[in-house]
Amino acid sequence: MKKLLYGLLLAVFMPWFSVGCEKEDFADEGDVRLTFSADTLTFDTVFTTLGSTTLRLTARNDSRDNLRLSTVTLAGGRNSRFRLNVDGDTSLVARDVEVLAGDSIFIFVQVNINPNDSTSPFLVEDAIVFSNGQRLPLTAYGRNAVYHVTPADSTWLRIGTETWNATLPHIVVGNVLVTENQTLTIDPGAEVYFANDACLILDSTARLVARGTAAAPILFTSLRHDGWYRFLPGQWGLIWFYNYSVGNVVEHAVIENGIGGLRCYPQSQVTVKNTVIRNMSDCAIVGQGATVTGNNLLVYDCLTSFIALMGGNYDFRHCTFADYWSYSARKMESVVLSNCMNTVVNNQVVTVGGDLLKADFTDCIIWGTYQKEVLLSELEGYAMNHNLAQNQSCIVKGGARSEDPLFTDPRNDDYTLQEGSPATGLGYQWQ
């Protein structure tokens, strides 16, 4: 009886065991077509020798048949500037790649471009070749560059008097320090790209002369510009003027995507004209006992403040400060005026006073999402001279003249004024 029962059970379950252990069938690879998440995989500009970010491609099998690709490789073979990772396989040729029916695989692609003699962007092309006959094009624009890299055994790269011209972009990796009594000149149209946390530092008595033109502004920006990195704040450090760094000029420039724009220490002197500062994760301009003159500035989208002035002399004319920061909750009013600052002494935070000798704003717009966009912080016993309390020459959110300036489309970075704006004639004058 037991033998009969075992026989019946074996007869019932044997077909299931057979199906479960059966090897999957694969169609002839030429009969199955993959669908891709992109028709062409295109990289943002890639600076030579630095290498690119990694792009992801999805290859999906929407058919009812399983597919085994005998090879997935690059048309350029070993000479290709591109490199693949096919579902974890980083070989030059990935073999026996299985894409089951209704399933997909991921292909990750990078590119590293060698320097050449070109002073203009140049096209680099290749293609991913699948053994079922399909090809997917790969394209990248390469750019040669001049590199300013901090040595591995140092805190900064020390440079003397020199000129950064516009022939090739300049890449700053780490900290570049212009040494005492030396001058860094940056020509019109020059592009300066900063790696993560990189800074340009002017030592005591050093000088920066960055004079662009309306037709050829100077660009200070982040190294990465692919996708949403194009507008992402906090990707590099700042431009730092140490004590007694005088005669500094920044004119017709765009400063973007950093932690801070310009940081000016005691007794430093900086003139900024016809310049846009945007997308900063901290302050656009910080003055600590410095002398800063700003004329025709457009400053927008900063997490902390546009300008924080703590003691010193300041004069701003025809400037637009507009904060519609959308990455997170803002931390502070747009403009902070103070005659004191917190600092650390012997591991303790102490408040240090410093006379705010002058902070004048003329024909400016100070506007944003706060009810009041000016914060005054005063320490008794120190001068606190400013003209914002009853200023009628400026439109100030929460101030004496608090009228909506009617920007055209601030959410899309258009700070021109609509027809009939009460701010006509004020703020940044468009070139």
Side-chain angles (χ1 to χ4, degrees):
M1 182 67 181
K2 288 183 179 180
K3 290 184 178 180
L4 178 59
L5 180 59
Y6 290 147
L8 289 173
L9 289 173
L10 189 60
V12 171
F13 287 107
M14 182 60 77
W16 295 99
F17 287 128
S18 298
V19 171
C21 298
E22 185 178 359
K23 193 173 182 179
E24 291 175 312
D25 291 327
F26 291 87
D28 290 337
E29 56 185 349
D31 295 337
V32 178
R33 311 297 288 175
L34 295 169
T35 57
F36 302 113
S37 55
D39 294 330
T40 301
L41 212 56
T42 303
F43 287 80
D44 190 58
T45 299
V46 178
F47 291 106
T48 55
T49 74
L50 277 185
S52 72
T53 55
T54 300
L55 296 186
R56 186 181 75 176
L57 173 73
T58 302
R60 183 170 180 80
N61 178 5
D62 289 321
S63 76
R64 296 183 178 181
D65 297 315
N66 297 325
L67 172 65
R68 180 186 289 122
L69 296 163
S70 56
T71 60
V72 179
T73 189
L74 291 160
R78 294 188 180 279
N79 295 323
S80 176
R81 302 316 309 165
F82 296 86
R83 289 294 178 264
L84 301 181
N85 179 326
V86 183
D87 245 15
D89 189 340
T90 59
S91 306
L92 180 63
V93 180
R95 301 185 184 279
D96 298 326
V97 179
E98 296 182 358
V99 192
L100 301 182
D103 203 356
S104 58
I105 60 170
F106 294 120
I107 301 175
F108 299 92
V109 187
Q110 290 181 314
V111 59
N112 194 308
I113 301 173
N114 287 336
N116 60 22
D117 295 330
S118 176
T119 57
S120 300
F122 52 93
L123 183 64
V124 177
E125 296 180 288
D126 205 341
I128 305 175
V129 179
F130 301 85
S131 55
N132 68 343
Q134 291 182 271
R135 295 169 63 97
L136 188 123
L138 304 173
T139 64
Y141 279 93
R143 291 191 75 182
N144 291 301
V146 179
Y147 292 91
H148 309 276
V149 181
T150 299
D153 59 349
S154 180
T155 306
W156 43 52
L157 172 68
R158 300 170 65 91
I159 65 172
T161 294
E162 61 183 58
T163 298
W164 293 2
N165 61 40
T167 304
L168 292 173
H170 295 261
I171 311 297
V172 176
V173 181
N175 297 316
V176 169
L177 175 71
V178 184
T179 54
E180 294 181 357
N181 298 316
Q182 305 300 303
T183 299
L184 172 61
T185 301
I186 302 181
D187 286 348
E191 301 172 44
V192 184
Y193 294 85
F194 292 85
N196 188 41
D197 293 330
C199 294
L200 175 60
I201 304 168
L202 283 298
D203 205 350
S204 298
T205 68
R207 188 167 70 126
L208 172 67
V209 179
R211 282 197 174 99
T213 66
I218 295 169
L219 178 64
F220 298 94
T221 190
S222 52
L223 187 57
R224 290 192 65 176
H225 272 240
D226 52 299
W228 57 291
Y229 284 95
R230 183 179 177 187
F231 308 105
L232 182 66
Q235 295 185 67
W236 59 283
L238 41 81
I239 301 173
W240 208 329
F241 302 94
Y242 271 20
N243 304 28
Y244 301 100
S245 172
V246 299
N248 297 288
V249 178
V250 178
E251 187 170 355
H252 283 294
V254 175
I255 307 172
E256 63 181 14
N257 302 349
I259 294 172
L262 309 176
R263 179 163 293 179
C264 312
Y265 268 20
Q267 308 304 319
S268 63
Q269 182 188 69
V270 183
T271 297
V272 192
K273 293 180 173 181
N274 306 315
T275 289
V276 176
I277 306 177
R278 61 193 178 200
N279 303 334
M280 296 292 161
S281 62
D282 194 22
C283 296
I285 300 174
V286 173
Q288 298 177 352
T291 297
V292 178
T293 301
N295 194 332
N296 203 40
L297 308 181
L298 173 60
V299 184
Y300 64 91
D301 284 356
C302 299
L303 174 58
T304 304
S305 295
F306 293 134
I307 51 177
L309 310 178
M310 296 160 282
N313 287 271
Y314 308 95
D315 190 352
F316 293 93
R317 298 174 182 271
H318 277 291
C319 299
T320 294
F321 304 102
D323 209 333
Y324 292 81
W325 177 272
S326 59
Y327 291 94
S328 60
R330 285 175 56 196
K331 292 185 176 180
M332 198 170 291
E333 290 83 353
S334 295
V335 174
V336 177
L337 304 181
S338 176
N339 60 3
C340 58
M341 61 176 290
N342 292 330
T343 188
V344 178
V345 178
N346 296 326
N347 296 321
Q348 291 186 334
V349 177
V350 297
T351 301
V352 177
D355 293 331
L356 183 63
L357 299 173
K358 183 178 78 169
D360 286 351
F361 294 80
T362 306
D363 297 330
C364 293
I365 302 171
I366 302 173
W367 203 262
T369 55
Y370 272 25
Q371 291 297 314
K372 294 179 64 176
E373 287 293 357
V374 175
L375 174 65
L376 304 178
S377 177
E378 187 170 357
L379 182 65
E380 187 176 350
Y382 294 89
M384 184 70 175
N385 299 318
H386 64 89
N387 71 339
L388 278 180
Q390 299 299 322
N391 194 320
Q392 294 291 332
S393 74
C394 300
I395 284 183
V396 180
K397 184 79 171 285
R401 188 180 171 191
S402 185
E403 306 172 83
D404 190 332
L406 299 179
F407 296 123
T408 299
D409 189 3
R411 297 295 180 184
N412 289 301
D413 301 340
D414 185 351
Y415 293 96
T416 56
L417 301 175
Q418 299 177 35
E419 186 176 351
S421 165
T424 299
L426 305 182
Y428 180 75
Q429 304 298 297
W430 299 85
Q431 305 299 318

